[in-house]
Each structure stands twice: as C-alpha cells, then as structure tokens.
Amino acid sequence: MTATGESTATATGQRLQGKVALITGAARGLGRAIAQRFVDEGAEVIINDLNLAPARQTAGELGGHGLACDVSNSASVAAMFAQLQDITPRLDILVNNAGISGLEGDNTAQQRVQDMVDRLEQAAAGEPVETDTTTMELTDDEWHRMIGVHMNGTFFCCREALKIMNPQNGGNIINMGSIMGTFGRGGGTSYCAAKAGILGFTRALAHEVVTRNIRVNAIAPGWIHTDMTDPLAPMHPMLKAATPMGRLGDPDDIAWAAVYLASDEAKFMTGQTLSPNGGWYMSQ
Ligand SMILES: NC(=O)c1ccc[n+]([C@@H]2O[C@H](COP(=O)([O-])OP(=O)(O)OC[C@H]3O[C@@H](n4cnc5c(N)ncnc54)[C@H](O)[C@@H]3O)[C@@H](O)[C@H]2O)c1
C-alpha cells in the first residue's frame, strides 16, 4: 500500500507475466507445482528433468517446453542451456530444484527407514538406542552423487544462467534448500551437507550479482508429501506429530513461496531463505 492507501501489488495471475523460467527437476513434485503456479502467473516455463519423456510430458500438460539433462553433469548442463537459447534468448527466473533423497533405487531403503523409526521410538521410550551406521557405511559414490546433484547441479545451472542474466542486467534465482540445511538429522549427513552448502552458496552469490539487478534466494521446505518422501511413510505419523501444524506440507505450499520470491513483490529480498515448514523449525 502507498501512503494514500493505494495498492501497488500486481494482480494475482499476472505476477510473472512475460517472464521466462527454467525449473530443474520439474517433471513432478515441488518443481512441477512451482511450474504450474508460474504458468498460472503468466510465465513461460521450461521444464528440466533427468529424462526427456517425463520432462516433455509435464511441459505438454502445463504448456511449456521440456529439456533433459542430469544437472550434476557440467557438460550436459551447458548443452541444455544451448538448447534453451534456441527456444528463448532470455532467462528471467532459474529455480534449482532437482534433488534426490539418496533412497532412490536402494533395495535396502525400506529397512533403513524402519531402522530410523525404531531408533526414534527407542529414544522416545528412554531405551538404549541402536547405533546409526549410515555415515560409516556411506560409499564414496553415494556421497559424491548427493553433493553432485544438489551442490554441483546448483552451481552448474547458476553459472550458465548468469551468462544470460548478467548481460541482460536482471534475473532471479531460487535455490532449493531444506530445513535439513540447518537442522541436522542423523541418517542424512550427505543430504544435510548438500543443503547447507546450497544455503551458503545462495548468500554468497546474492552478494556477487546484486549490482546486476539479479536476486538470489533459497527456499527451505519442511516435510512435504511428494514421491521423494513417500518411502518415509512409516515416519509420517512422527513427522506430523513434531510439526505444530500437525501435517506434512503439500507441494503448493512451496510453489507459493517460489511465486513470491520470483515476483516483484519480493523486490527487496536477496540472500534470504524462506522456510514454509508448518512451524516444525522456527527461526528469526
Ligand atoms: N519433499 C520434501 O519434503 C522436501 C523437503 C525439503 C527440500 N526438498 C527438496 O525439494 C526438491 C524437490 O523435491 P521433491 O520432493 O519434489 O522430489 P521428487 O523426487 O518428487 O522430484 C525430484 C525431481 O528431480 C528430478 N531429478 C533428480 N535428479 C536429477 C538430476 N540429476 N538432474 C535433473 N533432474 C533430477 C527427479 O527425476 C524428479 O523429477 C529437492 O531438491 C528436494 O531435496 C524436498
């Protein structure tokens, strides 16, 4: 509102009018929900995912373009940005959302989740807690993959995006962190390290590009129900009980945060972490 009470907000449905947005890992989950809200707000969206078919399918459903690449692979990211520039000369918004939990394709995942539940129950009951062996059993490949997708992927995509955004003297980058980037959790050291790294990278990059009219922020979601958190189903009752709002979030709870950060309504926000988490973790 202005001093005279006149609203300066952009009308809903037009906040991202004329903007071009690339969202990584957007064939499903949080990325897809963000892409959907961006389209609703008038943006042209480019949907990245690991494989072309799901990226194209989501793009077709939402009305955008689908591009494939593994964001952890520097050459593939550069190739994807070359393809992107065949579609559009400009890029206004980059959302670095692609991510993994580390449980993908692990046939011991169910047992690992049950072990986590058992340890939480043992601790709650005041019983001796079994040793958590996650970190001592983590392989080099598993560690590198986690850091590669989240940290390296965020860096590789930002590096390419800045080659467009710096000369265009404007842009907006949103990096997907997690409450796990600040709240440590046993059994998730590589994930927590990757997400903490993304939050640090976000603040430093925000400083670096502020004079080029580029804002860089992070979102740190709480527990959101997606395919990624489905394997944690046995833990859901505990997670809900530990969340003051008493539920897991849904992807739209995160999509609205992304719309806000990407829009001019957040024009004084840079280097910040916005954390929709139902009160699970309270800060500042
Ligand atoms: N769901 C949650 O509770 C939660 C909480 C905090 C943060 N996050 C973060 O939000 C992001 C999205 O999570 P989600 O819950 O929607 O997960 P999801 O598994 O439903 O979706 C992730 C998408 O990323 C894609 N992807 C994975 N690796 C990729 C790669 N190397 N290159 C390109 N695409 C890749 C997957 O194919 C998938 O489509 C992730 O960064 C995740 O760490 C999720």
Side-chain angles (χ1 to χ4, degrees), residues 25 28 30 49 69-71 97 176-177 191 195 222 224 226 229:
R28 68 181 198 193
L30 304 187
D49 214 284
C69 90
D70 177 344
V71 297
N97 165 79
M176 196 59 74
Y191 185 85
K195 291 303 192 186
I224 314 295
T226 64
T229 49

Side-chain angles (χ1 to χ4, degrees), residues 133-151:
T133 57
T134 312
T135 301
M136 63 189 225
E137 287 172 0
L138 198 65
T139 66
D140 290 8
D141 282 350
E142 287 167 333
W143 173 267
H144 289 307
R145 184 75 190 145
M146 185 65 77
I147 301 297
V149 173
H150 293 273
M151 271 261 46

Side-chain angles (χ1 to χ4, degrees), residues 15 39 46 63 82 94 102 115 119 125 133 150 156-157 166 180 193 195 201 204 235 237 245 252 261 267 273-274:
R15 290 186 184 96
V39 169
I46 295 155
L94 165 67
D115 290 346
R119 283 192 297 272
T133 57
H150 293 273
F156 294 149
C157 290
N166 271 329
M180 292 302 141
K195 291 303 192 186
F201 176 81
M235 282 177 73
M245 286 191 184
D252 216 29
L261 289 174
K267 63 187 187 305
T273 300
L274 207 54

Side-chain angles (χ1 to χ4, degrees), residues 91-185:
L91 180 66
D92 302 291
I93 304 161
L94 165 67
V95 183
N96 284 304
N97 165 79
I100 56 173
S101 67
L103 294 175
E104 296 84 0
D106 178 351
N107 54 17
T108 66
Q110 245 183 330
Q111 188 56 52
R112 283 170 63 187
V113 172
Q114 190 53 51
D115 290 346
M116 278 191 251
V117 172
D118 291 347
R119 283 192 297 272
L120 288 168
E121 285 177 348
Q122 288 157 0
E127 294 169 4
V129 179
E130 276 174 43
T131 308
D132 185 342
T133 57
T134 312
T135 301
M136 63 189 225
E137 287 172 0
L138 198 65
T139 66
D140 290 8
D141 282 350
E142 287 167 333
W143 173 267
H144 289 307
R145 184 75 190 145
M146 185 65 77
I147 301 297
V149 173
H150 293 273
M151 271 261 46
N152 298 356
T154 298
F155 160 57
F156 294 149
C157 290
C158 284
R159 182 169 60 184
E160 297 306 318
L162 289 173
K163 292 175 189 169
I164 305 171
M165 290 178 176
N166 271 329
Q168 105 195 340
N169 204 34
N172 202 310
I173 296 174
I174 299 170
N175 296 326
M176 196 59 74
S178 165
I179 45 173
M180 292 302 141
T182 41
F183 182 94
R185 185 165 204 104

Side-chain angles (χ1 to χ4, degrees), residues 171-240:
N172 202 310
I173 296 174
I174 299 170
N175 296 326
M176 196 59 74
S178 165
I179 45 173
M180 292 302 141
T182 41
F183 182 94
R185 185 165 204 104
T189 46
S190 60
Y191 185 85
C192 292
K195 291 303 192 186
I198 286 173
L199 300 184
F201 176 81
T202 298
R203 291 187 286 267
L205 187 63
H207 264 288
E208 185 174 307
V209 298
V210 71
T211 59
R212 297 279 69 79
N213 196 30
I214 300 167
R215 294 191 291 108
V216 188
N217 292 289
I219 299 176
W223 297 99
I224 314 295
H225 198 175
T226 64
D227 288 319
M228 181 182 277
T229 49
D230 254 355
L232 302 177
M235 282 177 73
H236 285 186
M238 292 168 175
L239 298 176
K240 287 178 189 171

